[in-house]
Coordinates of all heavy atoms in Angstrom, one line a residue:
M6 N 84.2 81.4 118.0 CA 85.2 82.4 117.8 C 85.2 82.8 116.4 O 85.3 82.0 115.5 CB 86.5 82.0 118.4 CG 87.5 83.1 118.7 SD 87.4 83.6 120.4 CE 89.2 83.6 120.7
K7 N 85.2 84.1 116.1 CA 85.3 84.6 114.8 C 86.6 85.4 114.5 O 87.2 85.8 115.6 CB 84.1 85.5 114.4 CG 82.7 84.9 114.6 CD 82.5 84.0 113.4 CE 81.1 83.4 113.4 NZ 80.9 82.6 112.3
K8 N 87.0 85.6 113.3 CA 88.1 86.4 113.1 C 87.9 87.3 111.9 O 87.2 87.1 111.0 CB 89.4 85.6 112.9 CG 89.5 85.0 111.5 CD 90.9 84.3 111.4 CE 91.0 83.5 110.1 NZ 92.2 82.7 110.0
A9 N 88.6 88.5 112.0 CA 88.5 89.5 110.9 C 89.8 90.2 111.0 O 90.5 90.2 112.0 CB 87.4 90.4 111.2
T10 N 90.1 90.9 109.9 CA 91.4 91.6 109.8 C 91.2 93.0 110.1 O 90.0 93.6 110.2 CB 92.0 91.6 108.4 OG1 91.1 92.2 107.5 CG2 92.2 90.1 107.8
C11 N 92.3 93.7 110.4 CA 92.4 95.1 110.7 C 91.6 95.8 109.6 O 90.8 96.7 109.8 CB 93.9 95.5 110.8 SG 94.1 97.3 111.1
K12 N 91.9 95.5 108.3 CA 91.2 96.1 107.2 C 89.7 95.9 107.2 O 89.0 96.8 106.8 CB 91.8 95.6 105.8 CG 93.0 96.2 105.3 CD 93.5 95.6 104.0 CE 94.8 96.3 103.5 NZ 95.4 95.3 102.6
D13 N 89.3 94.7 107.6 CA 87.8 94.5 107.7 C 87.2 95.5 108.6 O 86.0 95.8 108.5 CB 87.5 93.1 108.2 CG 87.9 92.0 107.1 OD1 87.9 92.3 106.0 OD2 88.2 90.9 107.6
M14 N 87.9 95.9 109.6 CA 87.4 96.9 110.5 C 87.8 98.3 110.2 O 88.0 99.1 111.1 CB 87.8 96.4 112.0 CG 87.0 95.1 112.3 SD 87.4 94.5 114.0 CE 88.8 93.5 113.6
R15 N 88.0 98.6 108.9 CA 88.4 99.9 108.4 C 89.8 100.3 108.9 O 90.1 101.5 108.9 CB 87.4 101.0 108.9 CG 86.0 100.7 108.4 CD 85.1 101.9 108.5 NE 85.0 102.3 109.9 CZ 84.2 103.2 110.4 NH1 83.4 103.8 109.5 NH2 84.0 103.5 111.7
G16 N 90.6 99.3 109.2 CA 92.0 99.7 109.6 C 92.9 99.7 108.3 O 92.4 100.0 107.3
A17 N 94.2 99.4 108.5 CA 95.1 99.6 107.4 C 96.0 98.4 107.2 O 96.9 98.5 106.3 CB 96.0 100.8 107.7
C18 N 95.9 97.3 107.9 CA 96.8 96.2 107.6 C 96.0 94.8 107.6 O 94.7 94.8 107.9 CB 97.9 96.2 108.6 SG 97.5 95.7 110.3
D19 N 96.7 93.8 107.6 CA 96.1 92.5 107.4 C 96.1 91.7 108.8 O 95.9 90.4 108.8 CB 96.7 91.6 106.3 CG 96.3 92.2 105.0 OD1 95.1 92.6 104.8 OD2 97.2 92.2 104.1
Q20 N 96.5 92.3 109.8 CA 96.6 91.6 111.1 C 95.2 91.1 111.5 O 94.2 91.8 111.3 CB 97.1 92.6 112.2 CG 97.2 91.8 113.5 CD 98.1 92.5 114.5 OE1 99.0 93.3 114.1 NE2 97.9 92.4 115.8
E21 N 95.2 89.9 112.0 CA 93.9 89.3 112.3 C 93.5 89.4 113.8 O 94.4 89.4 114.6 CB 93.9 87.8 111.9 CG 93.9 87.6 110.4 CD 93.9 86.1 110.1 OE1 94.3 85.3 110.9 OE2 93.7 85.8 108.9
F22 N 92.2 89.6 114.1 CA 91.8 89.7 115.4 C 90.7 88.6 115.6 O 89.8 88.4 114.7 CB 91.2 91.1 115.7 CG 92.3 92.1 115.5 CD1 92.4 92.8 114.4 CD2 93.2 92.4 116.5 CE1 93.4 93.7 114.1 CE2 94.2 93.3 116.4 CZ 94.3 94.0 115.1
E23 N 90.7 88.0 116.8 CA 89.7 87.1 117.1 C 88.8 87.6 118.2 O 89.2 88.3 119.1 CB 90.3 85.7 117.6 CG 91.2 85.1 116.5 CD 92.0 83.9 116.9 OE1 91.8 83.5 118.1 OE2 92.8 83.4 116.1
G24 N 87.5 87.1 118.2 CA 86.6 87.5 119.3 C 85.4 86.7 119.3 O 85.0 86.1 118.3
E25 N 84.8 86.6 120.5 CA 83.5 85.9 120.6 C 82.3 86.8 120.2 O 81.3 86.4 119.9 CB 83.3 85.4 122.0 CG 84.2 84.2 122.4 CD 83.9 82.9 121.8 OE1 82.9 82.8 121.1 OE2 84.7 82.0 122.1
T26 N 82.6 88.1 120.4 CA 81.6 89.1 120.1 C 82.1 90.3 119.3 O 83.4 90.5 119.3 CB 81.0 89.8 121.5 OG1 82.1 90.4 122.1 CG2 80.5 88.7 122.4
P27 N 81.3 91.0 118.6 CA 81.8 92.2 117.9 C 82.5 93.1 118.8 O 83.4 93.8 118.4 CB 80.5 92.8 117.3 CG 79.4 91.8 117.4 CD 79.8 90.8 118.5
E28 N 82.0 93.3 120.0 CA 82.5 94.2 120.9 C 84.0 93.8 121.3 O 84.9 94.7 121.3 CB 81.7 94.3 122.2 CG 80.4 95.0 122.1 CD 79.3 94.1 121.5 OE1 79.6 92.9 121.3 OE2 78.3 94.7 121.0
E29 N 84.2 92.5 121.5 CA 85.6 92.1 121.9 C 86.5 92.3 120.7 O 87.6 92.8 120.9 CB 85.5 90.6 122.2 CG 86.8 90.0 122.7 CD 86.7 88.5 123.0 OE1 85.7 87.9 122.8 OE2 87.8 87.9 123.2
M30 N 86.1 91.9 119.5 CA 86.9 92.0 118.4 C 87.2 93.5 118.1 O 88.3 93.9 117.7 CB 86.2 91.3 117.2 CG 87.2 91.2 116.0 SD 86.3 90.5 114.7 CE 86.2 88.8 115.0
G31 N 86.1 94.3 118.1 CA 86.3 95.7 117.8 C 87.3 96.4 118.8 O 88.1 97.3 118.4
G32 N 87.2 96.0 120.1 CA 88.0 96.5 121.1 C 89.5 96.2 120.8 O 90.4 97.1 121.0
K33 N 89.8 95.0 120.4 CA 91.2 94.6 120.1 C 91.7 95.3 119.0 O 92.9 95.7 119.0 CB 91.2 93.0 119.8 CG 91.1 92.2 121.0 CD 91.2 90.7 120.6 CE 90.9 89.8 121.8 NZ 90.9 88.3 121.3
C34 N 90.9 95.5 118.0 CA 91.3 96.2 116.8 C 91.6 97.7 117.1 O 92.6 98.2 116.7 CB 90.3 96.1 115.7 SG 90.8 96.9 114.1
R35 N 90.7 98.3 117.9 CA 90.8 99.7 118.2 C 92.2 99.9 119.0 O 92.9 100.8 118.7 CB 89.7 100.1 119.1 CG 89.4 101.6 119.2 CD 88.1 102.0 119.4 NE 87.5 101.2 120.6 CZ 86.3 100.5 120.5 NH1 85.6 100.5 119.4 NH2 85.9 99.8 121.6
E36 N 92.4 99.0 119.9 CA 93.7 99.0 120.7 C 94.9 98.9 119.7 O 95.9 99.7 119.9 CB 93.7 97.9 121.6 CG 94.2 98.1 123.0 CD 93.9 96.9 123.9 OE1 94.8 96.0 123.9 OE2 92.9 96.9 124.6
H37 N 94.9 98.0 118.8 CA 95.9 97.9 117.8 C 96.1 99.1 117.0 O 97.2 99.6 116.8 CB 95.5 96.6 117.0 CG 96.2 96.7 115.6 ND1 97.5 96.3 115.4 CD2 95.7 97.0 114.4 CE1 97.8 96.4 114.1 NE2 96.7 96.8 113.5
V38 N 95.0 99.7 116.5 CA 95.1 100.9 115.7 C 95.7 102.0 116.5 O 96.6 102.7 116.0 CB 93.7 101.3 115.1 CG1 93.8 102.8 114.5 CG2 93.2 100.4 114.1
M39 N 95.3 102.2 117.8 CA 95.9 103.3 118.6 C 97.4 103.0 118.8 O 98.2 104.0 118.8 CB 95.2 103.3 120.0 CG 93.8 103.7 119.9 SD 93.6 105.3 119.1 CE 91.7 105.4 119.1
Q40 N 97.8 101.8 119.0 CA 99.2 101.5 119.2 C 100.0 101.8 117.9 O 101.1 102.4 118.0 CB 99.4 100.0 119.6 CG 99.2 99.8 121.0 CD 99.3 98.3 121.4 OE1 99.5 97.5 120.5 NE2 99.0 97.9 122.6
M41 N 99.4 101.5 116.8 CA 100.1 101.7 115.5 C 100.3 103.2 115.3 O 101.3 103.7 114.8 CB 99.4 101.0 114.4 CG 99.4 99.6 114.4 SD 101.0 98.8 114.3 CE 101.4 99.0 112.6
V42 N 99.2 104.0 115.6 CA 99.2 105.4 115.4 C 100.3 106.0 116.3 O 101.0 106.9 115.9 CB 97.8 106.0 115.7 CG1 97.9 107.6 115.8 CG2 96.8 105.6 114.6
Q43 N 100.3 105.5 117.6 CA 101.3 106.0 118.5 C 102.7 105.8 118.0 O 103.7 106.5 118.4 CB 101.1 105.4 119.9 CG 100.0 106.3 120.7 CD 99.6 105.7 122.0 OE1 100.3 104.8 122.5 NE2 98.5 106.1 122.5
S44 N 102.9 104.7 117.4 CA 104.3 104.3 116.9 C 104.6 105.0 115.6 O 105.7 104.8 115.0 CB 104.4 102.7 116.8 OG 103.7 102.3 115.7
G45 N 103.6 105.8 115.1 CA 103.9 106.7 114.0 C 103.6 106.1 112.6 O 104.1 106.5 111.6
D46 N 102.7 105.1 112.6 CA 102.3 104.4 111.3 C 101.4 105.3 110.6 O 100.2 105.6 111.0 CB 101.8 103.1 111.6 CG 101.4 102.4 110.3 OD1 102.3 101.6 109.8 OD2 100.3 102.5 109.8
A47 N 101.7 105.8 109.4 CA 100.9 106.7 108.6 C 99.6 106.1 108.2 O 98.6 106.8 108.1 CB 101.7 107.3 107.4
G48 N 99.7 104.8 107.7 CA 98.5 104.2 107.2 C 97.4 104.1 108.2 O 96.3 104.3 107.9
H49 N 97.8 103.7 109.5 CA 96.8 103.6 110.5 C 96.2 104.9 111.0 O 95.2 105.1 111.3 CB 97.3 102.8 111.7 CG 97.4 101.3 111.5 ND1 98.4 100.8 110.7 CD2 96.6 100.3 111.7 CE1 98.2 99.5 110.6 NE2 97.2 99.2 111.2
K50 N 97.2 106.0 110.9 CA 96.7 107.4 111.2 C 95.7 107.7 110.2 O 94.7 108.4 110.6 CB 98.0 108.2 111.2 CG 97.7 109.7 111.4 CD 97.6 110.1 112.9 CE 97.5 111.5 113.1 NZ 96.2 112.2 112.7
A51 N 95.9 107.5 108.9 CA 95.0 107.9 107.9 C 93.6 107.1 108.1 O 92.5 107.8 107.9 CB 95.5 107.6 106.5
A52 N 93.7 105.8 108.4 CA 92.5 105.1 108.7 C 91.7 105.7 109.9 O 90.4 105.8 109.9 CB 92.8 103.6 109.0
L53 N 92.5 106.0 111.0 CA 91.8 106.6 112.2 C 91.2 108.0 111.8 O 90.0 108.2 112.2 CB 92.9 106.7 113.3 CG 92.3 107.2 114.6 CD1 91.3 106.2 115.2 CD2 93.5 107.5 115.6
D54 N 91.9 108.8 111.1 CA 91.4 110.0 110.7 C 90.1 109.9 109.9 O 89.2 110.7 110.2 CB 92.4 110.9 109.9 CG 93.5 111.4 110.7 OD1 93.4 111.3 112.0 OD2 94.6 111.8 110.2
S55 N 90.0 109.0 109.0 CA 88.8 108.8 108.2 C 87.6 108.3 109.0 O 86.5 108.7 108.8 CB 89.1 107.9 106.9 OG 89.0 106.6 107.3
M56 N 88.0 107.5 110.1 CA 87.0 107.0 111.0 C 86.4 108.2 111.8 O 85.3 108.4 111.9 CB 87.5 106.0 111.9 CG 87.6 104.6 111.5 SD 88.2 103.5 112.8 CE 89.5 102.7 111.9
M57 N 87.4 109.1 112.3 CA 86.9 110.2 113.1 C 86.2 111.2 112.3 O 85.5 112.0 112.9 CB 88.2 110.8 113.7 CG 88.9 109.9 114.7 SD 87.8 109.4 116.0 CE 88.9 108.3 117.0
A58 N 86.5 111.3 111.0 CA 85.9 112.3 110.2 C 84.4 112.0 109.9 O 83.6 112.9 109.5 CB 86.6 112.4 108.8
Q59 N 84.0 110.8 110.3 CA 82.6 110.4 110.1 C 81.7 111.0 111.2 O 82.2 111.1 112.3 CB 82.4 108.9 110.0 CG 82.9 108.3 108.7 CD 82.5 106.8 108.7 OE1 82.6 106.1 109.6 NE2 81.8 106.5 107.5
S60 N 80.5 111.2 110.9 CA 79.6 111.7 111.8 C 79.2 110.5 112.8 O 79.5 109.3 112.5 CB 78.3 112.1 111.3 OG 77.5 111.0 110.6
K61 N 78.8 110.8 114.0 CA 78.5 109.8 115.0 C 77.4 108.8 114.4 O 77.5 107.6 114.6 CB 77.8 110.5 116.2 CG 77.5 109.6 117.4 CD 78.4 110.0 118.6 CE 78.1 109.0 119.8 NZ 78.6 107.7 119.6
E62 N 76.5 109.3 113.6 CA 75.4 108.5 113.1 C 76.1 107.5 112.1 O 75.7 106.3 112.1 CB 74.5 109.3 112.2 CG 73.5 110.1 113.1 CD 74.1 111.3 113.8 OE1 75.1 111.9 113.2 OE2 73.7 111.7 114.9
D63 N 77.0 108.0 111.3 CA 77.7 107.0 110.3 C 78.5 106.0 111.0 O 78.6 104.9 110.6 CB 78.6 107.9 109.3 CG 77.8 108.5 108.2 OD1 76.6 108.2 108.1 OD2 78.3 109.4 107.5
Q64 N 79.2 106.4 112.1 CA 80.0 105.5 112.9 C 79.1 104.4 113.5 O 79.4 103.2 113.4 CB 80.7 106.2 114.0 CG 81.8 107.1 113.5 CD 82.6 107.8 114.6 OE1 82.6 107.3 115.8 NE2 83.3 108.8 114.3
E65 N 78.0 104.8 114.0 CA 77.0 103.9 114.5 C 76.5 102.9 113.4 O 76.3 101.8 113.7 CB 75.9 104.6 115.2 CG 76.2 104.8 116.7 CD 75.1 105.7 117.4 OE1 74.1 105.8 116.9 OE2 75.6 106.4 118.4
K66 N 76.2 103.5 112.3 CA 75.6 102.7 111.2 C 76.6 101.7 110.8 O 76.3 100.5 110.6 CB 75.4 103.7 110.0 CG 74.7 103.0 108.9 CD 74.1 104.0 107.9 CE 73.7 103.4 106.6 NZ 74.7 103.4 105.6
W67 N 77.9 102.1 110.7 CA 79.0 101.1 110.3 C 79.0 100.0 111.4 O 79.1 98.8 111.1 CB 80.4 101.7 110.2 CG 81.3 100.8 109.8 CD1 81.7 100.4 108.6 CD2 82.1 100.0 110.7 NE1 82.7 99.4 108.6 CE2 83.0 99.1 109.9 CE3 82.3 99.9 112.1 CZ2 83.9 98.2 110.5 CZ3 83.2 99.0 112.7 CH2 83.9 98.1 111.8
Y68 N 79.0 100.4 112.6 CA 79.2 99.4 113.7 C 78.0 98.5 113.7 O 78.1 97.3 113.9 CB 79.2 100.1 115.0 CG 79.7 99.2 116.2 CD1 80.9 98.6 116.0 CD2 79.0 99.1 117.3 CE1 81.3 97.6 117.1 CE2 79.3 98.2 118.3 CZ 80.5 97.5 118.2 OH 80.9 96.6 119.2
N69 N 76.8 99.0 113.5 CA 75.6 98.1 113.4 C 75.7 97.1 112.3 O 75.4 95.9 112.4 CB 74.4 98.9 113.2 CG 73.9 99.7 114.5 OD1 74.3 99.2 115.6 ND2 73.1 100.7 114.3
E70 N 76.3 97.5 111.2 CA 76.5 96.6 110.1 C 77.5 95.5 110.4 O 77.4 94.4 110.1 CB 76.9 97.4 108.8 CG 75.7 97.9 108.0 CD 76.2 98.9 106.9 OE1 77.3 98.9 106.5 OE2 75.3 99.8 106.6
F71 N 78.6 96.0 111.0 CA 79.6 95.1 111.5 C 79.0 94.0 112.4 O 79.3 92.8 112.3 CB 80.8 95.8 112.2 CG 81.8 95.0 112.7 CD1 82.6 94.2 111.9 CD2 82.1 95.0 114.1 CE1 83.6 93.3 112.5 CE2 83.1 94.2 114.7 CZ 83.8 93.4 113.8
R72 N 78.2 94.5 113.3 CA 77.5 93.5 114.2 C 76.6 92.5 113.5 O 76.6 91.4 113.8 CB 76.7 94.3 115.3 CG 77.6 94.9 116.3 CD 76.9 95.9 117.2 NE 75.8 95.1 117.9 CZ 75.5 95.4 119.2 NH1 76.0 96.4 119.7 NH2 74.6 94.8 119.7
A73 N 75.9 93.1 112.5 CA 75.0 92.3 111.7 C 75.7 91.2 110.9 O 75.2 90.1 110.7 CB 74.1 93.2 110.8
N74 N 76.9 91.6 110.4 CA 77.7 90.7 109.6 C 78.6 89.8 110.4 O 79.3 88.9 109.8 CB 78.6 91.5 108.6 CG 77.7 92.3 107.6 OD1 76.7 91.7 107.2 ND2 78.3 93.3 107.1
F75 N 78.7 90.0 111.7 CA 79.5 89.2 112.5 C 79.4 87.7 112.4 O 80.4 87.0 112.3 CB 79.4 89.6 114.0 CG 80.5 89.1 114.9 CD1 81.7 89.6 114.9 CD2 80.2 88.0 115.8 CE1 82.7 89.2 115.7 CE2 81.1 87.6 116.6 CZ 82.4 88.2 116.6
A76 N 78.2 87.3 112.3 CA 77.9 85.8 112.2 C 78.5 85.2 110.9 O 78.8 84.0 110.8 CB 76.4 85.6 112.3
S77 N 78.7 86.0 109.9 CA 79.1 85.6 108.6 C 80.6 85.7 108.5 O 81.2 85.2 107.5 CB 78.4 86.3 107.4 OG 78.8 87.6 107.5
L78 N 81.3 86.1 109.5 CA 82.7 86.2 109.5 C 83.3 84.8 109.6 O 82.6 83.9 110.0 CB 83.3 87.0 110.6 CG 83.1 88.6 110.6 CD1 83.5 89.2 111.9 CD2 83.8 89.1 109.4
Q79 N 84.6 84.6 109.2 CA 85.3 83.4 109.2 C 85.4 82.8 110.6 O 85.8 83.5 111.6 CB 86.7 83.5 108.7 CG 87.2 82.3 108.0 CD 88.6 82.5 107.4 OE1 88.9 83.6 107.0 NE2 89.4 81.4 107.4
D80 N 85.0 81.5 110.8 CA 85.2 80.9 112.1 C 86.7 80.5 112.4 O 87.4 80.2 111.5 CB 84.4 79.6 112.1 CG 82.9 79.9 112.4 OD1 82.5 80.6 113.3 OD2 82.1 79.4 111.5
V81 N 87.1 80.7 113.7 CA 88.4 80.3 114.0 C 88.4 78.9 114.6 O 87.6 78.7 115.5 CB 89.0 81.3 115.0 CG1 90.4 80.9 115.4 CG2 88.9 82.7 114.5
Ligands
LIG112 ZN1 96.3 97.3 111.5

């Protein structure tokens, strides 16, 4: 099991997420970001906007890097 913070995943806070796979961890973070945006958090809204402003290619590139670096994340 690995852990990374919301910020590590281009979010806006230091909340930690754990996961066995990049998909699991990314999914938890995405859910968290959406909840924060819905509750009116400006920081997460800005983070989400900057993610959305990227092209599909750039989003995929970032995600591929995140997957490649997953093994080097902190173990839980
Ligand atoms: Zn967050």
Side-chain angles (χ1 to χ4, degrees):
M6 199 93 132
K7 298 287 188 179
K8 75 173 177 188
T10 64
C11 181
K12 272 183 188 159
D13 288 335
M14 290 179 274
R15 299 194 299 189
C18 71
D19 292 318
Q20 183 162 331
E21 290 177 344
F22 301 94
E23 299 174 2
E25 294 286 357
T26 63
E28 288 77 12
E29 185 186 355
M30 194 185 276
K33 284 182 187 174
C34 183
R35 201 156 44 232
E36 223 168 85
H37 156 79
V38 169
M39 292 305 175
Q40 276 175 4
M41 293 300 283
V42 169
Q43 274 172 17
S44 71
D46 185 89
H49 287 79
K50 175 82 170 71
L53 182 65
D54 284 348
S55 81
M56 278 183 230
M57 293 304 180
Q59 286 194 308
S60 67
K61 185 115 181 71
E62 287 74 29
D63 281 346
Q64 288 182 23
E65 268 169 25
K66 185 166 170 269
W67 180 88
Y68 192 58
N69 286 337
E70 277 168 21
F71 175 61
R72 287 170 61 145
N74 291 331
F75 190 73
S77 65
L78 291 174
Q79 206 179 333
D80 283 304
V81 182

